[in-house]
Amino acid sequence: MSQLFSPLSLGKLSLPNRIIIAPMCQYSAINGEATDWHTIHLGQLSLSGAGLLIMEATAVSPEGRISYGDLGLWNNETQQALGKTLNAVRQYSDMPIGIQLAHAGRKASTGKPWDDVGAISPSDKNGWQTIAPSAQAYDEHSFEPVAMSKADIAQLIADFASAAKRADELGLDLIELHGAHGYLLHQFLSPLSNKRDDEYGGNLTNRMRIVFEVFKAVRAEFNVNKPVGIRISATDWVEGGWDLEQSIALAKALDELGCDFIHVSTAGLSPLQQIPVEPCFQVPFATAIKQAVNMPVIAVGLITEAQQAENILSEHKADAVALARGILYNPHWPWHAAAELGATVNAPKQYLRSSPHGKPSPIK
């Protein structure tokens, strides 16, 4: 039996297979509110046969958005707009749907990537003042953030908790905290971006503190029967930065706190990063963390072929695999993987006649 198409439990949430659709920003919201684009986009992915769909990084406050086009979940209007999209999708798909809650920190206030404008000035109509652990810009093309006060940190934790409550009210099945790719929680973790001299900076224990506080606040607001996990960058790929050893320490501590899963990526914090990009290049980090924790570990990063994914699982390198760009390029990737590996996935009845003539159907 294919390991890729075997069931998996994240906490008390049962998945029919181990294909996870990773969060992918769409930069298509208006004032943080989901639009018809999100209905079309998420609707398409929800018919893919994957085991779980995690929605894009969703800001817990307006200034937490990466760009002015980012999705948000901070008030009644953003909640209602997202609810409209979810209601449409759920009419035709029973795929579990999760949300990634995020704050971009110093990497906020940017243009949409296809406009190639980079960081936007706080004085621009589409920009705002960014915040971060320390008043240190991402690079020479970025605007300096304001170092967060204790009151700012308390507000951030409250914003995450509030968004978690709204996610619960929307009936979402899972929350993933965004602690990766150089965004705010990652900025606190890395000594490259965290230069604080209070209890949130300095040694590893202090730099991890805010992650634990956010996790506990979110866990307290989200249905106890639904999983809360985290995505991390296991290394900055910069000497003297966040690395695998620190990631393992973080993962172990989160495991003890009752974290339900960890999604292991890398990079995003520093323009000095040197990334050895190749197929499955991030999987060894997931494997090292898997050996240290009890919770399920999700691997991601240039996993594009069915047999690649199958081997990662059958060789116990991770418990699940996540696809991002690959499933945007081929939204029926799980169908094709099931055909190759002799498995089946759920699909709409409207598509049951779609298999090539004379070949067994991978969809049911």
Side-chain angles (χ1 to χ4, degrees):
M1 178 181 176
S2 165
Q3 290 301 301
L4 186 61
F5 290 94
S6 65
L8 174 67
S9 291
L10 301 180
K12 295 181 180 179
L13 178 65
S14 231
L15 309 183
N17 62 59
R18 297 170 185 247
I19 302 170
I20 313 297
I21 300 177
M24 293 169 282
C25 290
Q26 297 297 293
Y27 307 99
S28 299
I30 298 174
N31 297 322
E33 297 173 25
T35 63
D36 287 345
W37 172 258
H38 294 92
T39 304
I40 295 166
H41 167 67
L42 295 172
Q44 173 181 237
L45 293 179
S46 75
L47 304 179
S48 67
L52 170 67
L53 167 58
I54 306 178
M55 292 192 299
E56 65 192 87
T58 303
V60 299
S61 62
E63 68 276 7
R65 293 173 294 168
I66 303 166
S67 80
Y68 61 90
D70 277 29
L71 196 63
L73 188 57
W74 62 71
N75 59 15
N76 291 339
E77 290 74 21
T78 54
Q79 181 176 346
Q80 289 164 5
L82 185 54
K84 180 182 175 184
T85 285
L86 290 170
N87 288 339
V89 171
R90 286 170 174 148
Q91 287 185 65
Y92 300 103
S93 173
D94 61 0
M95 180 182 292
I97 301 176
I99 190 168
Q100 185 184 67
L101 297 182
H103 193 297
R106 70 180 188 178
K107 291 181 76 174
S109 187
T110 72
K112 299 179 181 183
W114 50 79
D115 292 332
D116 196 28
V117 298
I120 294 178
S121 167
S123 62
D124 187 278
K125 65 176 183 177
N126 289 324
W128 56 88
Q129 178 60 59
T130 59
I131 60 174
S134 305
Q136 184 179 37
Y138 173 74
D139 61 18
E140 66 272 18
H141 306 295
S142 302
F143 295 91
E144 185 176 290
V146 171
M148 294 172 69
S149 67
K150 297 285 184 61
D152 293 331
I153 290 173
Q155 185 61 55
L156 175 74
I157 295 166
D159 288 342
F160 268 96
S162 175
K165 186 175 186 295
R166 293 182 184 277
D168 196 34
E169 292 170 353
L170 287 168
L172 286 159
D173 297 295
L174 168 149
I175 287 176
E176 177 176 278
L177 302 177
H178 200 348
H181 301 161
Y183 299 121
L184 187 55
L185 295 183
H186 185 182
Q187 290 162 30
F188 271 92
L189 291 172
S190 177
L192 299 177
S193 49
N194 185 344
K195 303 298 184 182
R196 301 177 71 93
D197 58 6
D198 62 5
E199 66 267 36
Y200 291 97
N203 62 45
L204 178 59
T205 298
N206 285 355
R207 285 183 281 114
M208 295 192 298
R209 187 182 308 279
I210 196 167
V211 175
F212 302 148
E213 291 179 350
V214 167
F215 174 82
K216 286 186 280 190
V218 166
R219 180 70 279 176
E221 290 293 345
F222 199 54
N223 188 315
V224 68
N225 294 312
K226 296 180 179 181
V228 176
I230 190 168
R231 189 169 191 179
I232 69 165
S233 283
T235 178
D236 289 338
W237 294 111
V238 180
E239 188 172 351
W242 183 254
D243 58 19
L244 179 58
E245 182 181 357
Q246 295 171 89
S247 293
I248 289 172
L250 175 69
K252 284 181 173 179
L254 285 167
D255 209 26
E256 291 178 3
L257 284 176
C259 189
D260 290 299
F261 66 92
I262 188 165
H263 188 171
V264 182
S265 188
T266 66
L269 183 107
S270 169
L272 302 177
Q273 62 192 20
Q274 297 292 317
I275 309 173
V277 178
E278 60 182 7
C280 302
F281 73 101
Q282 295 178 152
V283 173
F285 296 96
T287 304
I289 289 172
K290 176 175 167 57
Q291 292 168 352
V293 298
N294 295 313
M295 61 180 157
V297 176
I298 303 170
V300 67
L302 287 182
I303 302 169
T304 57
E305 306 299 327
Q307 196 59 54
Q308 274 181 326
E310 181 71 16
N311 291 346
I312 289 167
L313 300 177
S314 63
E315 295 169 12
H316 306 292
K317 294 179 178 178
D319 299 292
V321 297
L323 305 177
R325 292 178 179 89
I327 206 160
L328 285 185
Y329 188 73
N330 178 7
H332 289 157
W333 191 95
W335 296 15
H336 303 153
E340 182 177 334
L341 299 172
T344 56
V345 293
N346 290 322
K349 292 186 288 292
Q350 293 90 332
Y351 292 172
L352 291 178
R353 296 181 295 165
S354 66
S355 295
H357 180 71
K359 292 189 176 182
S361 176
I363 59 177
K364 60 181 181 180

